[in-house]
Amino acid sequence: GPARRRQRAPPAPGRAMPPSETFVALQRLAKRRREDPPGAPRGPGPAPASEPRGASSASQTIGFPTGTGDGGASLEDPADDEPRRLAAITAGALAHIPRFEDVVSRYRLFRGDDTDAETGCRCEPVMALEGSGAGEMTCLCRDCQLWRRVTRGAPGDEEPFWVKRTKRNRNKTKTKTKPMYEVFTREHVAGLASYFRGRADALLGAEAKTRSLRVLELGAGSGVLSRSLAAATAALDEAELFGIARVSRASVTYHATDDYSFSFAKEGVSRDEEDDEEESEEENEEENANSVRALDYRAALRSLTACDGFPPDLVLICWHPIRVDWTAEVRRVAAVLEYVLVGECDFGACGSPVETWGLRGDGCLSSDGDDDDDVSETVCKSNAFSPPPYLADGFERVDLAFLSKHQVCRTDEPWLKARRSKTVSFRRRREEES
């Protein structure tokens, strides 16, 4: 006869709890999918009961590849509603981070030379002839200047629309620079947390059932990215474990480090917008000290204290310092199975084109919005450093396109259509694949 469905035991008297915001959000999404017409894009399916925690929805709905090719391989895009699903699950945890579409709409980003339908404004970029930006293209229209004022974070500049100042510090005069390099969006952070959860099973195998994936962030500034990833991961873990016996560990743990070489970091001020929400500078310094260990990248990689007595499994670097390379040192750590770079790539403002990205400059076009992306990518690949340092060290490159499409950075001015910030993974090859 047909298999009988197992009935869930009723809650013990006095232990009933009201549904969480995450559960309510998931219920709304499930109802919306049921009401979709047959031709609508399908939503992500449930994870098999046999899958270990940390590997369920990420591996099924985002389409992580079973194998990758050499440099430049891209991953398949997730289901159309995956960003919406992740944003709904992590809405409470990432309330301090704006949605991608809100940032793009408010600051009219990625418009190019099209005329804005609402304001009638049209970008007309020109080349600067003097000053520190001589030779660079820039636009002096109202929208482009506004975006520069928001991301530059200098005293007197406009604050991002998502920052909500408290009564205690609303009238406080800003005296310290707080620039934003990566403007974190809810979809990107939630997607990155989901990606790390999926990688836990791929990298740890059977160990994923007994311990967390350890992610070490280098150059973390105030630690806002690691804290946000931890909050998003906790929300995703909670959603997956709804109605299941709780466990005491997270699927992924994040460990932030920074050498505080930036002046604002030395003074306890962050590179991002989150510090504007704190009650006082003293509380900022205390929070940063508690969440970010003061270690330079070499010491963080060599010291077991960075990850609470254990070596890292995966390294994260957001906006790698320009004209230097940290990745060679990362690849020397035998325990590191993967590292992820967030920010401008190849010939952008992060790292070194040769040592970090494996490229050389002869005849390469720069993806600065003037050239077609496909043409630039083809030309750069034809001039690739052979073999790239990461490939010689036993790693392969995978561009995480499904995450990059929800990124925004300070150089994404309205006059550009091409996006400059991306998320790229470098994975250690298995011995059997070499």
Side-chain angles (χ1 to χ4, degrees), residues 133-163:
E136 297 181 359
M137 298 295 294
T138 186
C139 179
L140 300 179
C141 78
R142 179 184 60 188
D143 293 335
C144 288
Q145 292 191 73
L146 172 61
W147 180 244
R148 287 194 289 270
R149 289 197 304 271
V150 168
T151 57
R152 182 176 54 194
D157 280 347
E158 181 166 331
E159 292 181 340
F161 71 87
W162 58 88
V163 170

Side-chain angles (χ1 to χ4, degrees), residues 11-26:
R15 297 177 62 88
M17 298 178 64
S20 65
E21 294 182 3
T22 297
F23 176 71
V24 174
L26 288 172

